[in-house]
Amino acid sequence: MAATQLKCELSWSASRAKEFERCRRENWYSRYGSWGWWTEKPRGEKFDIMVHKNLTSLPAFTGDVIHRAIERWFQLRKAGSNMNAMELFEEAREMFRLGWRQSSTDGWKERPNKSTHMFEHHYQWDISAERTNAARDLMMRSTKFFMESPQLEPVRLVAPENWLAVESLDTYQFLGTKVYAVPDFAYQEEEKVHIWDWKTGKPREDDIFQLYTYALYACERWQTDPEDIILHAAYLGAGQVQDIPVQIDRLSEAQDRMSMSLREMMDIHYDPDVDDYFAENWKPTGAPDNCRFCRYKGMCDAAPQS
Ligand code: SF4
């Protein structure tokens, strides 16, 4: 049987929308320039773009290991086992060490699309002891808050049969396009659905928008009434939780914002296997402000030379 031909289809997520807003050229690299890298023989530009696409940063990587350690906690809880705060921290720290080793050596090269490869190592930035200590402290504070905070007790105590999602990547259709949703944790309590998002950075207005897009997902996926959805932004490092009962007008604003963002993307979406590339559509709109921390700055001709 012939292998199914993959097609570069448009999809939407809150993080893709942010990338699109930040810089059209960056969005092109991530979604179109790297498309088909697995078919490129010999390896060339597409592969190189994919390597840059996979770059993470020290703060993003630290947040990722905290998420993965918590996901592991849920797996053990489901299997009837448990971890205390120190064990959860050790889990995160071990993941951090593994990723650091891959990134700081050539370890990432074996599977560049599946390994940890940090921006700071790639661009040979010095990573000070203060920054690595801050990453360790963040892991420590976050895991302790997750395990010991009274505000997170409902998360720790809810029975696995009431869980609806744990870091599950799922999609739904909106305006005929696939929309990605990855709620960190969702559970049902009587008629209420609680959706939690673990945050390891500072609170931002966009966090609430992202949570509202998960509320739209809950309406679609579990047919939940909007009034029965409660969103929770848990700022683990800061030790704060924002509880946000869904308001219909804010849900409708989030839907309008998604719709606008998606239509802008639709206007210039193309299939790089079939259609021509129009440079006009993918201008370096993020330059120069966003270039310093952009993954593609080493290959983008619009990035200021430093
Ligand atoms: S280096 Fe600057 S212009 Fe180029 S993709 Fe990144 S943000 Fe955009």
Side-chain angles (χ1 to χ4, degrees):
M1 197 193 296
T4 316
Q5 173 87 33
L6 287 174
K7 192 171 174 342
C8 182
E9 284 175 350
L10 182 64
S11 59
W12 190 95
S13 69
S15 58
R16 282 172 199 199
K18 217 182 288 175
E19 183 184 70
F20 189 83
E21 276 170 32
R22 205 162 45 225
C23 180
R24 294 290 163 92
R25 173 82 59 87
E26 181 188 353
N27 187 248
W28 179 82
Y29 278 128
S30 299
R31 312 291 155 199
Y32 303 91
S34 58
W35 176 258
W37 66 266
W38 55 91
T39 61
E40 194 181 39
K41 290 195 181 56
R43 286 174 173 174
E45 192 192 15
K46 287 170 192 269
F47 182 85
D48 200 22
I49 296 174
M50 178 277 286
V51 168
H52 286 77
K53 178 182 172 177
N54 194 54
L55 292 177
T56 183
S57 64
L58 180 60
F61 171 58
T62 310
D64 178 55
V65 296
I66 293 167
H67 275 75
R68 284 192 280 132
I70 292 175
E71 188 183 358
R72 178 83 188 123
W73 179 87
F74 278 106
Q75 286 166 355
L76 289 180
R77 165 108 168 81
K78 195 169 191 177
S81 182
N82 215 331
M83 276 192 263
N84 60 31
M86 189 43 78
E87 287 164 337
L88 186 62
F89 167 67
E90 287 299 339
E91 184 81 20
R93 190 156 71 162
E94 195 43 45
M95 291 174 182
F96 186 92
R97 282 185 180 137
L98 182 70
W100 181 277
R101 263 199 306 277
Q102 280 177 346
S103 178
S104 59
T105 63
D106 279 350
W108 62 270
K109 286 187 176 169
E110 212 171 299
R111 297 175 77 205
N113 61 326
K114 302 272 184 210
S115 304
T116 304
H117 185 194
M118 273 187 255
F119 175 95
E120 290 88 343
H121 288 138
H122 182 82
Y123 288 111
Q124 296 173 356
W125 285 12
D126 279 337
I127 304 181
S128 64
E130 278 92 340
R131 288 191 70 200
T132 48
N133 288 341
R136 181 187 180 282
D137 289 350
L138 178 61
M139 286 189 277
M140 176 70 93
R141 282 199 312 279
S142 301
T143 47
K144 190 171 166 57
F145 186 69
F146 180 82
M147 289 306 302
E148 296 179 358
S149 151
Q151 287 160 288
L152 285 170
E153 199 169 49
V155 168
R156 295 191 300 269
L157 293 185
V158 63
E161 53 269 28
N162 294 328
W163 299 357
L164 294 170
V166 180
E167 295 272 356
S168 339
L169 175 68
D170 204 353
T171 61
Y172 63 102
Q173 291 289 313
F174 179 67
L175 300 179
T177 302
K178 193 187 278 184
V179 170
Y180 284 93
V182 198
D184 288 333
F185 181 53
Y187 68 89
Q188 178 105 35
E189 188 183 50
E190 297 175 353
E191 78 281 9
K192 300 288 183 197
V193 165
H194 294 262
I195 301 177
W196 286 78
D197 206 23
W198 322 130
K199 296 287 180 199
T200 50
K202 293 189 184 122
R204 293 171 308 185
E205 184 52 34
D206 267 359
D207 298 341
I208 309 303
F209 169 62
Q210 184 175 19
L211 270 164
Y212 264 94
T213 68
Y214 295 162
L216 290 166
Y217 164 75
C219 297
E220 190 73 21
R221 178 78 170 79
W222 303 304
Q223 281 78 51
T224 315
D225 285 338
E227 294 90 343
D228 287 333
I229 302 172
I230 304 173
L231 306 168
H232 307 268
Y235 294 93
L236 301 175
Q240 294 167 8
V241 176
Q242 277 185 41
D243 302 314
I244 310 151
V246 164
Q247 294 170 10
I248 299 289
D249 53 342
R250 292 205 66 184
L251 190 67
S252 140
E253 276 169 29
Q255 197 168 27
D256 289 348
R257 186 170 157 189
M258 260 176 81
S259 157
M260 214 159 26
S261 161
L262 189 48
R263 284 179 201 282
E264 274 185 302
M265 289 184 186
M266 278 172 179
D267 279 348
I268 57 173
H269 172 69
Y270 75 110
D271 181 347
D273 289 328
V274 179
D275 306 319
D276 291 332
Y277 161 80
F278 287 106
E280 189 64 16
N281 289 341
W282 307 104
K283 286 184 176 168
T285 51
D289 295 351
N290 296 326
C291 299
R292 182 167 158 70
F293 296 102
C294 174
R295 291 165 291 174
Y296 303 105
K297 65 178 190 165
M299 61 192 330
C300 176
D301 59 11
Q305 301 301 309
S306 52

